[in-house]
């Protein structure tokens, strides 16, 4: 099993380090790490260092050593972004968690016309904070050292601008009247930015489809079945990671 990952704001400049606070408490009281076990510290932005536990103190302090070398993981290419329409209840956190574990690079919350959930005021701030916290924890759990960015919630106009700037832009859309192209056979770029839109449970509206089409985004399907909005992004991410060679 790979070493557990803990997040720090800044990686240590020397061999020794004291991991305390919430991360130290998790390491000592939950993971119950002991002397001699290996750990990884990361800033979540691609920098990381391997170390060894020297000792545990109390319930929330882990003394580490061997952290002399800081590594940097290159930014992946092509970069994959999923625009995720706001699901009901806690399904948004499920989507963020599984997409992060799969390997997504960025998640854009989207206030689509047919979303039942509305991010407004204090509620919107709390929901965004929860998505970001979920991405951080899922990044640690999946042993990532470069966590996905979770942007501010975007409008349809803002999403269209994002699609227009992408090297590949698509919308997951099931259309029985006009057969969408399979994402599994779409021509993908070897580098640059891939942006894929996942609509709400009620589907992407005609006006939104028109706006995205004008931005250069074509409709695509994953398969013959229709996935829920909270799982479609994860399935699409896995497909794209495999097809672009990032899962090679």
């Amino acid at each position: 099993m790979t070493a557990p990952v803990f997040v720090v704001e800044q990686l240590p400049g020397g061999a020794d380090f004291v991991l305390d606070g919430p991360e130290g408490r998790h390491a000592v009281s939950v993971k119950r790490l002991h002397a001699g076990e290996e750990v990884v510290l990361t800033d979540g932005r691609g920098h990381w260092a391997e170390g060894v536990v020297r000792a545990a103190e109390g319930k929330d302090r882990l003394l580490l050593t061997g952290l002399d070398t800081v590594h940097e993981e290159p930014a992946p290419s092509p970069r994959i972004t999923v625009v995720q329409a706001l699901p009901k209840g806690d399904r948004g956190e499920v989507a963020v968690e599984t997409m992060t574990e799969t390997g997504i690079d960025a998640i854009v919350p989207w206030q689509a016309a047919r979303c039942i959930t509305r991010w407004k005021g204090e509620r919107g701030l709390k929901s965004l904070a929860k998505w970001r916290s979920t991405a951080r924890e899922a990044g640690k759990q999946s042993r990532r050292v470069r966590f996905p960015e979770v942007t501010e919630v975007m409008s349809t106009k803002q999403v269209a601008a994002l699609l227009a700037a992408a090297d590949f832009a698509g919308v997951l859309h099931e259309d029985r009247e006009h057969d969408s192209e399979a994402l599994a056979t779409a021509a993908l770029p070897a580098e640059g930015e891939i942006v894929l839109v996942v609509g709400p449970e009620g589907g992407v509206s005609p006006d939104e489809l028109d706006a995205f089409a004008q931005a250069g985004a074509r409709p695509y399907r994953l398969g013959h079945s229709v996935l829920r909005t909270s799982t479609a992004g994860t399935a699409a991410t896995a497909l794209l990671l495999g097809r672009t060679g990032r899962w090679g």
Side-chain angles (χ1 to χ4, degrees), residues 20-113:
D20 53 13
E23 292 291 270
R25 186 176 303 110
H26 185 73
V28 175
S29 300
V30 179
K31 290 291 188 180
R32 300 186 180 278
L33 297 180
H34 300 288
E37 294 189 86
E38 296 180 347
V39 299
V40 171
L41 298 186
T42 181
D43 60 4
R45 299 183 295 275
H47 303 95
W48 58 280
E50 293 177 301
V52 177
V53 177
R54 194 173 72 206
E57 292 184 346
K59 296 181 178 179
D60 61 357
R61 284 171 59 87
L62 201 67
L63 308 184
L64 304 174
T65 190
L67 297 159
D68 308 80
T69 305
V70 174
H71 308 272
E72 183 174 4
E73 180 182 278
S77 185
R79 176 179 162 92
I80 301 173
T81 296
V82 166
V83 176
Q84 175 65 60
L86 307 180
K88 296 181 293 183
D90 63 356
R91 290 190 175 275
E93 288 91 85
V94 172
V96 171
E97 180 179 54
T98 54
M99 282 193 285
T100 299
E101 291 173 355
T102 304
I104 196 70
D105 301 305
I107 300 169
V108 177
W110 172 38
Q111 189 71 71

Side-chain angles (χ1 to χ4, degrees), residues 7 43-44 71 80 173 176 185 200 232 243-244:
V7 182
D43 60 4
H71 308 272
I80 301 173
H173 181 62
R176 296 187 182 281
T185 58
R243 291 204 57 221
T244 56

Side-chain angles (χ1 to χ4, degrees):
M1 184 177 180
T2 55
V5 173
F6 299 95
V7 182
V8 293
E9 287 301 317
Q10 186 172 353
L11 289 167
D16 298 329
F17 184 76
V18 177
L19 185 66
D20 53 13
E23 292 291 270
R25 186 176 303 110
H26 185 73
V28 175
S29 300
V30 179
K31 290 291 188 180
R32 300 186 180 278
L33 297 180
H34 300 288
E37 294 189 86
E38 296 180 347
V39 299
V40 171
L41 298 186
T42 181
D43 60 4
R45 299 183 295 275
H47 303 95
W48 58 280
E50 293 177 301
V52 177
V53 177
R54 194 173 72 206
E57 292 184 346
K59 296 181 178 179
D60 61 357
R61 284 171 59 87
L62 201 67
L63 308 184
L64 304 174
T65 190
L67 297 159
D68 308 80
T69 305
V70 174
H71 308 272
E72 183 174 4
E73 180 182 278
S77 185
R79 176 179 162 92
I80 301 173
T81 296
V82 166
V83 176
Q84 175 65 60
L86 307 180
K88 296 181 293 183
D90 63 356
R91 290 190 175 275
E93 288 91 85
V94 172
V96 171
E97 180 179 54
T98 54
M99 282 193 285
T100 299
E101 291 173 355
T102 304
I104 196 70
D105 301 305
I107 300 169
V108 177
W110 172 38
Q111 189 71 71
R114 292 174 177 172
C115 285
I116 296 175
T117 298
R118 295 284 157 182
W119 281 12
K120 293 182 179 179
E122 189 67 24
R123 178 182 179 181
L125 293 175
K126 288 182 178 179
S127 296
L128 178 59
K130 191 174 291 186
W131 278 35
R132 287 174 170 168
S133 175
T134 299
R136 172 189 167 108
E137 294 306 310
K140 289 166 53 180
Q141 176 67 31
S142 54
R143 310 295 200 263
R144 292 181 63 172
V145 296
R146 188 180 290 276
F147 300 164
E149 174 191 8
V150 179
T151 73
E152 300 285 335
V153 63
M154 289 191 183
S155 65
T156 297
K157 183 177 180 180
Q158 290 171 315
V159 171
L162 190 68
L163 292 167
D167 298 282
F168 175 90
V171 183
L172 289 184
H173 181 62
E174 179 269 339
D175 189 342
R176 296 187 182 281
E177 293 184 5
H178 305 90
D179 193 27
S180 304
E181 181 181 350
L183 188 61
T185 58
L188 300 175
E191 55 186 24
E193 181 94 22
I194 294 174
V195 179
L196 193 66
V197 176
V198 176
E201 298 290 358
V204 183
S205 73
D207 287 346
E208 290 166 339
L209 284 172
D210 287 343
F212 296 158
Q214 290 176 28
R218 296 183 56 186
Y220 293 93
R221 56 180 167 79
L222 282 173
H224 296 294
S225 60
V226 178
L227 300 181
R228 300 197 70 156
T229 185
S230 54
T231 56
T234 301
T237 299
L239 175 62
L240 292 172
L241 287 167
R243 291 204 57 221
T244 56
R246 285 182 50 183
W247 264 10

